[in-house]
Each structure stands twice: as C-alpha cells, then as structure tokens.
Amino acid sequence: MSSTKSQTQFSHILQTEIDSIKAAGTYKSERVIVSPQHSDIRVAGKDGKITPQINFCANNYLGLADHPEVVARSKKFLDTHGSGLSSVRFICGTQNIHKDLEDQITKFYGTEDTILYASCFDANAGIFETILTDKDAVISDALNHASIIDGIRLCKAKRFRYNNCDMNDLESKLQEADKAGARLKLIATDGVFSMDGEIAPLDKICDLAEKYNALVFVDDCHSTGFLGPNGRGTAEYYGVQDRVHIINSTLGKALGGAAGGYTTGCKEMIDLLRNRSRPYLFSNSLPPAVVGSASAALDLIEGAKTNGLFDQLWGNTKLFRKLLTDAGFTIKGSNHPITPVMLGDARLAGQFAEKMLQRGIYVVGFSFPVVPKGQARIRVQVSAAHSEEQIRRAAAAFIEIGKELGVIGAKSKL
C-alpha cells in the first residue's frame, strides 16, 4: 500500500467518515455464515465460535436456496456448460441455457421476451437510460429502491417524484409531466417496498396510467415467485398482468437465491436493451450454475400450489404478524412476509438485534441511510422453510427482549 501524502490524506478522510457512522450508531458489520442458506444456519462469532441460529432475515421466501433439486441442476449445468463464459453476451457469452431461461421467464409472465442481467440492480441501471430520452418523463415513487433511483439518474428524462403509494400525488405529477410536454410518461414503482413490506396499489396505478396514457414499470424483486395465486408477482396479485408494460426482477431471492436479474416485456424493448443497455453489454454472462438454479426454482414454483410452499409461507406470515401485534409491537406492511418491527432509534435496533442473536434468532437492525432517520427497525423476513415452532420461538424472543428494553409493556418507551 502506498504511503504517499495523498494516500495518508485519503485514508484520514475515509476514517473520519467511518468514525462518524459509528458515532451515529449506524455502522454495519457483517456476520459470517458457515452453512447453506436455510431457516437453520450456523454463524461464526467474533471470537470464532460457531453457533446455531434460526434465520429471519433472508430473502429466501420459499426456502429454495438449498433445495435439493435447485442444487442438483446447478451442479448439472456446471458439469455440462462450465464455470463461466469469460465474455459478455453479444461476443461469445450466450449459451443455449441462457436462451432457455429467458424463454422460461417469458412464459412464466406471458410476456413477449426477456433479457437476463447479472443482477436486478443492473437491470434497473440499464432500463431507463435505454428507453427514455430528454423528450420523456419518469414519475417515480418516493420510496423506490436505490437501484431504481440510480437508474433514473442515468437517464435524461424529466423526473417527477410522488409520495409513497399516494395516488393523488401521482396524478398531480402525471399532470405536471403532461404540462412539460412529455412524449412518453413512465410510472416507476416497486411492487413491494422492501423496507416496509408494503404492496404498491398497482391496480390504481394502472388506472391512472391509462387515464394519462402512461407506461407502467414495476420492480418486483420482493414478490416474484410467491405473491399472487401462481407466484407471478404484484401484477397477478391485483389481476393487472395485461396492464403492466415492464417488469424487472431478480433470480436472487425467491427464485433460488443465487444471483441474476431480468427485464421482461415487449419484444421491441428487449431487442433495444440487447443493443443499448450498458450493464448488459459490458457485464459477463450469468454463470451456468446460476442459470441452473434459477431454472429449477421456476419449475418448483410452477408446482408451489400443490407442494404446499405457498400455504406454508402465508400461514407463517399470518402467525408471526399476529403474535407480535398482539404483544404490542408496531408492525408495518401489507401482511407480506417482510415484517418490519418498528423501534425508531438506531442504537436500540442494533442492541435489540444483538440480544436476539444471543437467543439464537438471527435478525438485523436497519437504520439510516437504509431507512429514514428516526424509523430504525428490525426487518423480519418469514420463509416457507420456517416451522411453526421456529415462528413461535422467534416471537417469544421478541416479546421477552421487547419487555426488557421497554419497547412493549408498562414501561414502553415507544
């Protein structure tokens, strides 16, 4: 490492910033897991000691991350198609399995075509700049994911932001976009807001889109595979699949939990993305093992109604939310597996999460800048992999610590 004056100055500036994060109680440390992702995991402590934990903070909604069929197909594709392509798609990085997965996703949604990315963050980074110009407008929900915000920043379209899930404000912004002479108007929203577990009112958004001749874009990362009668996501949940124009989502949550993202929609848009989307053009192809795990997960989701995964997930969600609500906790969200337990103070959230870990329940406190200041929380994520006993054990730990720290009960500080 260089010891020049500039490096010393640089390191000092960075350390000052890190110290300020620690002082604010928002510093984030990474815990090390030494087992596959599941409801039961093993975690290495700071002292190197490994302890068993019940995991309540993974996006592993259907418990498929270590499902035998998912792992087996990942291994199979590793054997038949290698470790990776050492190339981007348009040079020599497209294998038959990439096209097959794109076709599988297209069929899953009933759209015209699909394009794969290394992540949904990349899909969001590539969509707005490619399809919108300075003649157009994008109207974005105020609580959209950081990747949507960053993607919008890359495009030249006029930008409007409406209050979270506020249809009156959305209509006002659509009117402003019309006054600004926008050629195309694109409404951008998360299907489910990941920090709140709130499901966007997509039916009402589609009503306004049609009233003002706008397009609808949905980032469906926290609903793909399990929300809606057949797991098709927020659009299916509201019965508006034929009214949503663009869906971006991930292969890294319910669909096997590995990595990868995609955009699905009309053929012309996908064709343009293959030619103009920078994250697609300048990123390596998805590794075959990842393609295999996602493909197997989609097959399993096709049978989720009959194999009991959906019933288990939603039953667990209902039970956990009821136990904590009855105990006096403030819970946000729309009866989604994302269950934010609101605590307010960042230090309290960190302290609460640490005490949960000591009781064998793996959760994480979320604070600024991930959530607004004063709205720190523990975001619990329920999975179909959890047993009823695990749900009840986690709820009991929350209640015990909540009383100890004065979050609930007679001495409640909230």
Side-chain angles (χ1 to χ4, degrees), residues 92-308:
C92 58
T94 298
Q95 293 175 312
N96 60 310
I97 55 173
H98 293 103
K99 300 304 292 182
D100 290 346
L101 180 56
E102 287 171 340
D103 290 344
Q104 190 177 9
I105 294 169
T106 299
K107 182 180 178 182
F108 180 74
Y109 285 104
T111 50
E112 294 181 5
D113 205 355
T114 298
I115 181 173
L116 292 172
Y117 286 89
S119 68
C120 189
F121 202 112
D122 276 357
N124 286 344
I127 184 76
F128 303 102
E129 180 183 27
T130 302
I131 66 172
L132 299 176
T133 72
D134 57 2
K135 298 182 177 67
D136 306 315
V138 57
I139 304 97
S140 177
D141 189 289
L143 292 188
N144 275 340
H145 190 268
S147 59
I148 298 176
I149 295 169
D150 286 357
I152 289 172
R153 285 172 176 165
L154 292 172
C155 79
K156 296 180 180 178
K158 301 172 183 67
R159 304 170 197 170
F160 301 88
R161 186 175 69 171
Y162 65 96
N163 296 329
N164 179 232
C165 295
D166 185 334
M167 296 300 96
N168 290 330
D169 197 34
L170 172 57
E171 182 163 24
S172 174
K173 297 303 187 294
L174 285 165
Q175 292 169 350
E176 288 182 35
D178 273 340
K179 290 177 182 177
R183 179 188 62 170
L184 292 176
K185 296 183 292 295
L186 177 68
I187 302 170
T189 183
D190 276 326
V192 174
F193 295 91
S194 62
M195 286 298 119
D196 292 342
E198 192 72 43
I199 304 172
L202 200 52
D203 52 345
K204 295 180 176 63
I205 290 173
C206 288
D207 289 344
L208 286 173
E210 288 165 6
K211 180 177 179 180
Y212 289 93
N213 192 32
L215 300 167
V216 177
F217 162 94
V218 180
D219 176 326
D220 234 11
C221 286
H222 288 277
S223 63
T224 297
F226 62 93
L227 191 65
N230 301 289
R232 267 59 171 176
T234 314
E236 187 188 46
Y237 176 79
Y238 283 108
V240 294
Q241 286 173 282
D242 59 344
R243 301 169 69 191
V244 172
H245 305 88
I246 306 165
I247 295 175
N248 278 12
S249 196
T250 182
L251 306 173
K253 293 183 171 58
L255 302 187
Y262 55 87
T263 297
T264 191
C266 70
K267 197 166 188 64
E268 297 84 358
M269 177 183 66
I270 302 303
D271 195 20
L272 184 61
L273 288 169
R274 291 194 194 281
N275 283 274
R276 292 275 181 84
S277 176
R278 291 165 70 87
Y280 179 81
L281 291 170
F282 297 103
S283 296
N284 267 19
S285 309
L286 275 185
V290 173
V291 175
S293 63
S295 173
L298 280 165
D299 284 344
L300 288 166
I301 287 167
E302 291 288 358
K305 269 185 167 180
T306 55
N307 62 29

